[in-house]
Amino acid sequence: GRDKMKVIIDPGHGGKDPGAIGPTGLKEKDVNWQIAVITAGELAKHGIKIMFTRNGDEQVSLDKRVQIANSIKADYFVSIHANSASNPKAAGTETFAYRQNIEGERLAYSIQQSLVREIELTDRGVKYADFTVIAKTTMPACLVEVAFINNPDEEKLLRNNAFLERAGVSIGKGILTHLGLFKDQPKPWQVEQGEKHLYSLAGKGIINTPEAWKDKLLEPIPAWAFFSLIDRITE
């Protein structure tokens, strides 16, 4: 059988390179590492093999990170960063793909969606850039910018362990969703609406087997079912 799925997690910066530094001195390299470890834990629960491009606080060049990923033929590569801008009001979450219409872009969308849904910062969307680690890696890759470390409000969040935990877990869930391994997603609004009306109709005695309908909420409704429902409602 095929070897276990291998995912490389790339905690940005490290060692003598602190990355961006927040207004109260929080170093990006430390935030990246903490989130990366939590993401790895989430993936490991699903039997995915994880490798880091750096272990703890070490300095590793961008080319070396690429070389590590390419040499072990990883299946996916996810780089974890905190953003920084000259404007202290810059805020939110964004994920970078190398270019459009490649699998790395779909991976980026999956992570971005999961992360924003969980940490609820401004959704800056998926963007494109030719950062070395996503341009030169041979597997689908993306780079996540969780929050702005230069923004005092977001730096405060990045100091909070519960926030880092949620960020790491949701990046993991975004990867798992892309791989088709994570089913326990928050419900799409259509399903939430559907369940609300389903149980309401059950309460009125119009539908007597609500459980049987739950999995069908996103299916197109055939005309006969629609007509029979309307007919019963208007009796």
Side-chain angles (χ1 to χ4, degrees):
R2 161 154 172 29
D3 279 348
K4 266 190 183 172
M5 175 79 68
K6 282 191 292 245
V7 174
I8 288 257
I9 298 182
D10 175 49
H13 310 285
K16 288 195 285 284
D17 166 21
I21 297 175
T24 70
L26 183 64
K27 295 185 177 84
E28 184 197 348
K29 67 175 184 175
D30 298 329
V31 168
N32 297 346
W33 174 252
Q34 285 175 273
I35 294 174
V37 168
I38 295 162
T39 296
E42 190 61 26
L43 296 176
K45 281 189 213 163
H46 289 75
I48 290 171
K49 195 170 181 225
I50 316 298
M51 279 197 63
F52 292 111
T53 52
R54 67 169 164 104
N55 285 307
D57 190 16
E58 61 173 348
Q59 188 161 19
V60 181
S61 74
L62 296 176
D63 285 333
K64 177 78 179 148
R65 292 165 192 250
V66 168
Q67 192 194 325
I68 290 167
N70 291 349
S71 66
I72 70 155
K73 297 188 166 56
D75 297 287
Y76 294 93
F77 180 100
V78 177
S79 188
I80 295 177
H81 287 254
N83 220 334
S84 188
S86 49
N87 175 6
K89 291 200 166 60
T93 302
E94 58 196 19
T95 302
F96 286 88
Y98 173 45
R99 58 171 192 267
Q100 286 175 283
N101 304 320
I102 50 174
E103 198 191 342
E105 180 195 38
R106 294 198 296 278
L107 175 65
Y109 271 106
S110 186
I111 293 172
Q112 176 73 11
Q113 215 177 359
S114 177
L115 191 52
V116 167
R117 192 191 281 138
E118 182 56 42
I119 65 174
E120 299 182 318
L121 296 181
T122 303
D123 184 355
R124 298 171 67 96
V126 169
K127 299 184 174 170
Y128 305 92
D130 57 0
F131 301 135
T132 300
V133 292
I134 58 175
K136 292 187 176 171
T137 37
T138 50
M139 67 291 308
C142 66
L143 184 147
V144 189
E145 297 274 12
V146 175
F148 280 84
I149 200 167
N150 69 289
N151 174 319
D153 296 330
E154 296 195 357
E155 185 203 31
K156 194 187 283 176
L157 290 174
L158 292 168
R159 279 193 180 279
N160 177 309
N161 286 335
F163 178 84
L164 297 178
E165 174 84 22
R166 282 172 32 222
V169 167
S170 60
I171 291 170
K173 285 181 174 167
I175 297 167
L176 292 165
T177 301
H178 179 72
L179 300 180
L181 294 174
F182 182 65
K183 295 291 176 263
D184 178 32
Q185 286 148 297
K187 294 173 183 141
W189 63 269
Q190 297 96 321
V191 172
E192 277 185 22
Q193 281 294 312
E195 285 185 355
K196 190 176 93 181
H197 295 298
L198 176 59
Y199 289 114
S200 168
L201 288 169
K204 294 174 184 171
I206 290 168
I207 286 179
N208 54 12
T209 52
E211 292 304 316
W213 285 90
K214 272 180 77 165
D215 295 336
K216 301 186 170 70
L217 287 171
L218 291 175
E219 289 178 10
I221 180 166
W224 66 264
F226 182 68
F227 292 146
S228 70
L229 190 59
I230 298 298
D231 195 30
R232 291 165 76 177
I233 292 170
T234 53
E235 268 166 17

